[in-house]
Amino acid sequence: NGKETTLDDFKFPLDPIISLASKNIITRRYVNKTKTRGSIKERWSQDDWEITISGVIIAAKEVYPKATLKALRDFCDAPKSVDVICDLLNEMDIYRISIESVDFPFTKGIGNQAFVIKAYSDGDYDLLIKN
């Protein structure tokens, strides 16, 4: 429409598939000279959510979807964490993500292009605490 697009305006094409995985950070300690089997587990923290977003860009006509692909690439190349609005992510208290990688695998058909994005949940952190 002649309107400049920003990251705030970006929307994924159609319905992408979103997968989430998380884990607890646990340190295992082994006690020497004990008669019990196993280790002592110390739960320290919860790790970031690992997020995989995959989908297919499908052009309206049988032409390569250059504009949508460029918008997706600009989104993935942003040198910052990006805010997200998604019921699934927001339900898990994920409102910002940091994109680690993007993959554009071979896709059959000139008007189609698959994509896979790997990201981590991110948040607001104050690294400097004033006394």
Side-chain angles (χ1 to χ4, degrees):
N1 298 351
K3 177 185 167 195
E4 186 173 322
T5 302
T6 66
L7 287 179
D8 295 332
D9 299 327
F10 181 78
K11 292 183 177 146
F12 279 104
L14 294 177
D15 291 325
I17 297 170
I18 300 174
S19 301
L20 296 172
S22 184
K23 62 183 176 183
N24 293 321
I25 298 173
I26 297 173
T27 301
R28 295 173 22 177
R29 307 267 185 218
Y30 296 91
V31 179
N32 201 8
K33 298 181 182 176
T34 183
K35 294 185 189 245
T36 60
R37 180 178 175 180
S39 62
I40 298 171
K41 284 80 173 173
E42 298 177 48
R43 183 178 183 271
W44 288 100
S45 182
Q46 198 167 22
D47 205 355
D48 296 321
W49 283 97
E50 294 179 22
I51 304 163
T52 303
I53 305 168
S54 57
V56 179
I57 300 169
I58 302 172
K61 298 180 181 180
E62 284 293 313
V63 294
Y64 194 70
K66 286 194 249 183
T68 308
L69 189 62
K70 182 183 179 334
L72 179 60
R73 183 174 170 204
D74 290 345
F75 173 76
C76 293
D77 287 348
K80 62 180 184 173
S81 294
V82 291
D83 295 328
V84 292
I85 300 171
C86 170
D87 290 339
L88 174 62
L89 297 177
N90 297 159
E91 188 63 32
M92 300 298 175
D93 294 325
I94 302 170
Y95 299 95
R96 178 175 289 147
I97 63 173
S98 292
I99 297 172
E100 179 180 49
S101 66
V102 62
D103 184 24
F104 297 104
F106 171 78
T107 311
K108 191 172 181 176
I110 193 163
N112 306 321
Q113 179 59 61
F115 63 89
V116 178
I117 297 170
K118 301 278 188 179
Y120 293 101
S121 59
D122 201 3
D124 290 326
Y125 302 102
D126 290 328
L127 297 178
L128 299 175
I129 301 173
K130 297 179 182 179
N131 291 336

